[in-house]
Structures are given as C-alpha cells and as structure tokens.
Amino acid sequence: MYVAVKGGEAAILNSYHLLALQRRGDAALPELSVDQIRQQLKLAVDRVMTEGSVYDPELAALAIKQASGDLVEAIFLLRAYRATLPRLGTTCPLDTSRMSLDRRISATFKDLPGGQVLGPTYDYTQRLLDFTLLAEGKDPEARQPPGQVPAAITPRVVDLLNHEGLIETRPVPPGDPMPADLTREPLRFPANRATRLQNLARGDEGFLLAMAYSTQRGYSHSHPFVGEVRLGTVAVQIEPEELGFAIDIGDIEITECEMVNQFAGSKSQPPQFTRGYGLAFGHSERKAMAMSLVDRALRADELGESVESPAQMQEFVLGHSDSLEASGFVQHLKLPHYVDFQSELELVRKMRAASNSVTTEQGDAA
C-alpha cells in the first residue's frame, strides 16, 4: 500500500471512481455493451479467452470492458476468476480432423483433399485505414457470411507426407500417462512437451511472436513452412464413468496450426520433416503460428540439435512467456521501496565519499 499517500481509504475509493470515469468516457456517447465487445471485437475476445484459459466469450468481453481495453489486465481478471471455479471433469482429446471449417490453408501444397478455404483473413487487405468505418450506420461491406464447410473427416496436409515416410509420426505409446496440469502443478524443468504446450497456449502472444520471429532470423537453424492452418468449430466430448462412452457437451471455435520444418537427421533418425504444433481458442491465427514455431524450437534437445538460441532454451522461454507473471513483476516496482532505496542511497553516498577521498589524496601526492 502507498502509506505516504494522504487520505488513506478515501484516496483509494476516489481512485476507483476515477477509474470508472475513465472506463465510461464521454457520457454523451452510448455506453459500449458487453454484447457489442463480444460480437465486434472478436479477435480481442479470442485472445483473452486463450491466455486466460477460459472458453467463455461473454466473460472475456466483460473482462475487456472492465479493463478499458487493456488485454493483459483482462487476461488477469479472467485467469483470477478461473481460479475460483470447481473442476468438474476432464474432456476427451479434441478430434480436429472433424472440424467444421471456416478457414483452411496450406503453404506447402496447392491442391488439397477438401480444398483450400480462404475464410476471414486480413492477409489480402491493403492495410490502409478505411474511413468509411467512421460513418455511422451499416457497414457497406457487411454481408451474410457463407456457410461453414460441413463437419467431415478432412485429411491433414501432413498425412500427404506420411505416405512417403518423409515426416515424423508420433503415435500414442501404450500406457501413455495423463499430461500434468500446469494450472495445479508448478512448472518444473526439464518440462515435457505436453507441459510446454500448455505453457505456450497461455503465454503472451507478443512474447511468443518475438521468439518465433527470432527462429526465422536464424536463431534456431530452422526453415519452417506452414503445413496447415485450420479455423473452425469442433465438438467437445466427455466420457462419464457411468456411461463408458463419449458424449458431446458442446462446440468450441479453435485455430490449429501445424508447422513443417526440415530436419537433417541424427544417429537414430533419417533426414525428414518434423512438426511444430499450435492451438488456441477462437480465431487466433498469429498466436497458433507463433506457438508452433516455438514448440518446434523447444524440441531441439529431443531431436539431438544443439541448443544455442533463446527460443530453444526451455527455462528462458517458459519462464518468461506468461503475461501475468511478467506484468506483475514489472508493475510491482510501483509499490513502495523506500527502505531499499534509502539503503542504496546511503551506499552510493559512502562510495562517492570514498572515491572523492582517494582523488584528493592522489592530487596531494602529485
């Protein structure tokens, strides 16, 4: 607490009031509703859900409104709420091969079984400000969206490489243990891949983007290709013990990315392509791609590659990727450090006095 601030509790309550005024803005304008944020700031909502580890668009939109658009603060709010929820069960692994696709592209093969689906993307926009959006009324470009590609088994791009044995396969081994739950157990090193992927999914998008960018600039000796990016909805299933079979409990929207990297081979493995994997809630394409690049970089040890770059170092990446921890540690510097600073101030004064004394003695000797 700021013990030096005059006013005590009254000052803190006034701070809350000023924060509410800042959030509301000009009272002459209509207040932004949670539904508007949910529907019209979808990409922000999707990021908050992903890094907040809660799939609930309404709560994510509420957090964005409460945080005045500060996404890191909104993620903090949603993550804190998540900590209060009971754990009712565990879902079955998602079968993403049965997604209802809104978007599906590959940079490795032009002709795909099931075709390329462009979907919603900024990739082909001119990145120029659209001043028509300043006009009130209906967006002239807004039209009824085309239907989704119906849910069906759509072969993955990497399956095409599997036919020639040119890409690694990772079958589930017998007796494969359940992955650790990073929300209940502390992160320990070395972390296995399941734990790393959990960490990356919750990690700050900007940090992961920087790490991914570093791998492309030569800091992990990789040459990646986008095997496939998928956006769509997928069924979530649970398998109650009393039933003994899986049942659908709903659908969620996800983005999935598989990155393909060349691998020169090792003593135990022939030259082949290897994979990096990313998955995020909603339409979070940049996050999923960055995640898949970093996932592949963090597999250097497993593949017998030399670990030389930051993106290949588990403790560096996983220990600094969480926006909540990073924000908290940086912002804690705003808290009072009077005693610490006074001790350092006294130390610097003594060091200066000693330095001046030596300089004076040297001057007298000369």
Side-chain angles (χ1 to χ4, degrees):
M1 298 293 291
Y2 279 103
V3 293
V5 172
K6 303 298 183 183
E9 184 179 357
I12 294 173
L13 294 177
N14 285 336
S15 174
Y16 290 167
H17 177 64
L18 292 172
L19 190 61
L21 290 177
Q22 175 184 274
R23 180 188 305 119
R24 178 60 180 88
D26 189 347
L29 298 175
E31 183 175 0
L32 189 62
S33 71
V34 170
D35 282 340
Q36 286 175 311
I37 295 172
R38 176 179 175 176
Q39 294 295 328
Q40 299 177 41
L41 297 180
K42 181 182 182 305
L43 300 185
V45 169
D46 291 346
R47 176 179 175 182
V48 171
M49 289 195 304
T50 297
E51 297 179 31
S53 300
V54 176
Y55 189 91
D56 192 317
E58 183 178 46
L59 291 181
L62 172 62
I64 292 172
K65 179 175 180 177
Q66 183 176 335
S68 303
D70 183 340
L71 297 190
V72 173
E73 180 70 16
I75 291 162
F76 195 129
L77 293 170
L78 193 59
R79 192 93 66 87
Y81 174 75
R82 182 188 191 279
T84 69
L85 300 176
R87 183 68 58 89
L88 301 178
T90 303
T91 64
C92 302
L94 297 179
D95 185 0
T96 57
S97 67
R98 294 180 177 272
M99 289 173 66
S100 296
L101 297 171
D102 287 313
R103 174 165 163 78
R104 184 222 189 185
I105 60 165
S106 171
T108 52
F109 291 97
K110 180 180 179 181
D111 298 315
L112 301 172
Q116 305 252 15
V117 181
L118 192 59
T121 178
Y122 286 104
D123 292 348
Y124 303 99
T125 62
Q126 294 181 313
R127 263 81 176 204
L128 300 175
L129 283 175
D130 183 359
F131 291 99
T132 63
L133 297 178
L134 289 173
E136 295 183 2
K138 187 176 180 181
D139 180 357
E141 294 297 323
R143 298 190 295 269
Q144 286 297 318
Q148 289 183 317
V149 177
I153 296 179
T154 308
R156 290 186 172 85
V157 168
V158 294
D159 293 336
L160 301 177
L161 296 172
N162 276 342
H163 293 310
E164 296 184 61
L166 295 178
I167 193 166
E168 63 174 338
T169 56
R170 300 184 63 83
V172 178
D176 185 40
M178 289 289 291
D181 186 347
L182 196 54
T183 66
R184 292 185 167 189
E185 301 175 21
L187 178 63
R188 293 186 175 89
F189 299 104
N192 61 28
R193 192 180 183 198
T195 303
R196 298 198 304 262
L197 287 171
Q198 288 181 65
N199 181 285
L200 297 178
R202 291 156 56 94
D204 180 72
E205 181 179 315
F207 177 84
L208 292 185
L209 191 62
M211 288 291 98
Y213 180 45
S214 75
T215 70
Q216 294 179 273
R217 288 178 54 83
Y219 287 94
S220 73
H221 310 291
S222 65
H223 188 229
F225 298 89
V226 173
E228 188 171 10
V229 172
R230 292 176 176 228
L231 165 68
T233 56
V234 64
V236 177
Q237 298 182 321
I238 61 171
E239 187 173 324
E241 292 182 7
E242 61 272 22
L243 294 181
F245 57 86
I247 58 173
D248 290 1
I249 59 171
D251 296 321
I252 62 171
E253 184 184 45
I254 61 170
T255 302
E256 181 184 48
C257 176
E258 286 198 277
M259 201 68 67
V260 177
N261 286 68
Q262 190 175 351
F263 175 56
S266 64
K267 293 180 180 179
S268 59
Q269 295 176 304
Q272 60 184 328
F273 290 104
T274 55
R275 306 180 189 185
Y277 186 77
L279 187 143
F281 287 150
H283 192 178
S284 304
E285 198 165 302
R286 185 172 54 228
K287 169 65 177 284
M289 291 179 66
M291 180 180 169
S292 63
L293 286 168
V294 177
D295 169 51
R296 172 57 182 83
L298 290 175
R299 297 181 60 203
D301 245 350
E302 165 197 338
L303 296 170
E305 299 171 339
S306 58
V307 177
E308 301 170 350
S309 305
Q312 298 172 302
M313 301 174 183
Q314 281 194 28
E315 293 194 35
F316 181 85
V317 175
L318 304 184
H320 299 91
S321 64
D322 193 289
S323 65
L324 268 65
E325 293 187 11
S327 175
F329 205 59
V330 169
Q331 294 198 83
H332 101 282
L333 295 173
K334 294 183 291 186
L335 298 176
H337 288 76
Y338 311 131
V339 175
D340 292 344
F341 181 73
Q342 288 301 319
S343 65
E344 292 206 10
L345 184 61
E346 185 64 24
L347 177 61
V348 170
R349 284 170 175 162
K350 290 180 179 178
M351 292 168 62
R352 285 176 63 93
S355 176
N356 290 337
S357 176
V358 171
T359 302
T360 302
E361 291 176 359
Q362 290 176 344
D364 293 341

